[in-house]
Amino acid sequence: MKAGTILMDDLFGDLAGLGIKKPQSEDIFKEDEQEAAVRPGVQSPIEKKEKVFNEADYIFDKNMECPVCGRSFKTKKVRAGKARFLGTDSDLRPLHEGVDTVKYDAVVCLHCGYASLERVFTNVTAKQAKEIRDQIGYNFKGMTNSIGAYTYEEAIQRYKLALLCCVIRKMKISERAYVCLKLGWLYRGWKSTLSESDADYAKKKKECDDNEKSFITKAYEGFKIALAKESMPICGMDQYTFSYLMADLARQNKDYDNAQKFIYEIISSRSVSAKVKEKARMLNERIKQEKDEQSS
Ligand SMILES: [Zn+2]
């Protein structure tokens, strides 16, 4: 597939219920011409059987002001330091006891539909605000702040609005890829909460699997474009964290030669700690094993 032309099948279709028309192009990495941890088999905390966790205990409602419409609204946020950090998946998805913190990273203005990862929520130019109002705000039916934890459906809808706003704001390709990565993580998190006793378990699992893979691929393609045209740090990651992430995304996309190139960048560097190199070597073992399995 040619870089920069990643088309999706009705990517934003599930925003129709919010009154949002499908954008003309679903190529989320299109730009203006002129602007041109080791996965240790950690079970999702929600699956723990011996102790019952209530995700709502880990979150609170935070007041926000929208930089697009100027109105106040509430968003859910994870209480700092409350959830025990358990480690990460191999593509750096964070795992916490009792709460999937990833769900709470996309902030949506309940009045106008403007959405963004919290880190870049306020950095909106006047031109971007106008585009958001024109393309989303006037049609947006409004949302309510539900009680308790977000379901995965709610979190995914919020992230898709954030992705659409990234495209409308013509944000850096890396920022768009990062939202795709987190969407992949959400489908993986959702999958871990499914129970085999559910009537539609096989269907739901397949949907989660397919969507996870699709967004991980989009994230990898987007970050590859970003790597060629942006400078470090990318999405707040230093060069070696980014190389590690890319190695694992390449592995997940069965692009094993590139996965090993990214690993080599880490292992051959003099400025990387022994601990990080060891982590990279362990990932490399997994890459080699999967590469061998693939070719045998
Ligand atoms: Zn707003």
Side-chain angles (χ1 to χ4, degrees):
M1 187 179 289
K2 198 169 126 252
T5 55
I6 299 152
L7 296 168
M8 324 201 160
D9 299 331
D10 203 19
L11 169 67
F12 296 115
D14 45 2
L15 300 180
L18 298 170
I20 292 166
K21 279 189 245 143
K22 273 168 71 165
Q24 286 178 332
S25 164
E26 291 207 329
D27 179 358
I28 57 167
F29 297 132
K30 188 169 179 283
E31 290 183 294
D32 268 7
E33 295 298 318
Q34 70 271 31
E35 282 178 38
V38 181
R39 190 170 194 168
V42 177
Q43 293 285 299
S44 167
I46 300 147
E47 275 195 348
K48 289 226 167 192
K49 291 187 176 66
E50 64 273 21
K51 195 174 166 189
V52 177
F53 295 102
N54 183 4
E55 188 162 306
D57 295 342
Y58 295 85
I59 55 173
F60 69 101
D61 283 340
K62 183 187 175 189
N63 282 315
M64 304 281 291
E65 192 178 307
C66 176
V68 170
C69 72
R71 296 169 75 181
S72 299
F73 65 96
K74 283 187 163 57
T75 195
K76 294 184 193 302
K77 207 170 148 53
V78 178
R79 290 183 193 280
K82 185 164 165 88
R84 193 160 69 92
F85 179 63
L86 299 172
T88 72
D89 279 346
S90 54
D91 58 10
L92 308 179
R93 171 188 168 228
L95 302 168
H96 290 85
E97 196 169 63
V99 55
D100 186 345
T101 57
V102 179
K103 280 185 190 172
Y104 302 93
D105 234 10
V107 178
V108 179
C109 169
L110 304 175
H111 308 293
C112 75
Y114 165 60
S116 164
L117 295 188
E118 192 178 3
R119 189 170 52 87
V120 286
F121 186 77
T122 54
N123 317 340
V124 183
T125 65
K127 191 177 168 212
Q128 289 173 337
K130 182 182 179 302
E131 289 296 324
I132 301 276
R133 280 193 294 271
D134 288 348
Q135 296 189 44
I136 293 185
Y138 294 128
N139 300 314
F140 189 62
K141 291 177 176 170
M143 282 170 78
T144 50
N145 192 29
S146 55
I147 294 165
Y150 292 148
T151 62
Y152 278 102
E153 287 100 322
E154 286 173 317
I156 287 165
Q157 191 179 54
R158 284 166 178 268
Y159 268 81
K160 287 198 175 180
L161 263 177
L163 182 58
L164 180 57
C165 288
C166 273
V167 178
I168 294 171
R169 287 169 74 188
K170 300 185 174 65
M171 289 183 79
K172 284 182 183 171
I173 298 293
S174 58
E175 294 291 345
R176 308 180 204 185
Y178 199 41
V179 176
C180 290
L181 175 65
K182 291 191 166 202
L183 272 159
W185 290 350
L186 286 175
Y187 280 106
R188 191 184 305 156
W190 191 358
K191 190 170 58 183
S192 74
T193 66
L194 299 176
S195 166
E196 286 185 42
S197 58
D198 294 346
D200 55 353
Y201 172 75
K203 181 171 169 270
K204 273 261 170 289
K205 184 175 177 297
K206 185 174 184 311
E207 274 175 21
C208 286
D209 269 336
D210 291 349
N211 279 298
E212 179 193 343
K213 279 199 191 89
S214 163
F215 279 108
I216 291 293
T217 299
K218 288 174 183 76
Y220 182 50
E221 295 293 338
F223 280 135
K224 277 198 292 190
I225 300 169
L227 191 60
K229 43 200 316 188
E230 296 178 25
S231 49
M232 294 291 163
I234 287 181
C235 299
M237 287 177 270
D238 65 40
Q239 189 184 340
Y240 298 109
T241 306
F242 187 73
S243 296
Y244 183 87
L245 172 65
M246 287 300 277
D248 194 65
L249 294 181
R251 177 193 66 77
Q252 292 188 60
N253 283 283
K254 302 191 188 334
D255 184 5
Y256 299 115
D257 292 343
N258 274 319
Q260 290 187 303
K261 275 183 202 159
F262 286 114
I263 290 287
Y264 183 74
E265 277 178 26
I266 303 169
I267 293 174
S268 64
S269 166
R270 290 179 177 200
S271 53
V272 174
S273 72
K275 194 178 159 197
V276 171
K277 284 189 183 181
E278 183 52 28
K279 205 172 142 184
R281 281 196 191 93
M282 284 169 74
L283 179 57
N284 198 29
E285 286 307 309
R286 185 171 177 184
I287 293 165
K288 277 196 259 181
Q289 195 186 343
E290 289 184 18
K291 190 179 176 181
D292 289 348
E293 282 167 11
Q294 191 73 17
S295 56
S296 63

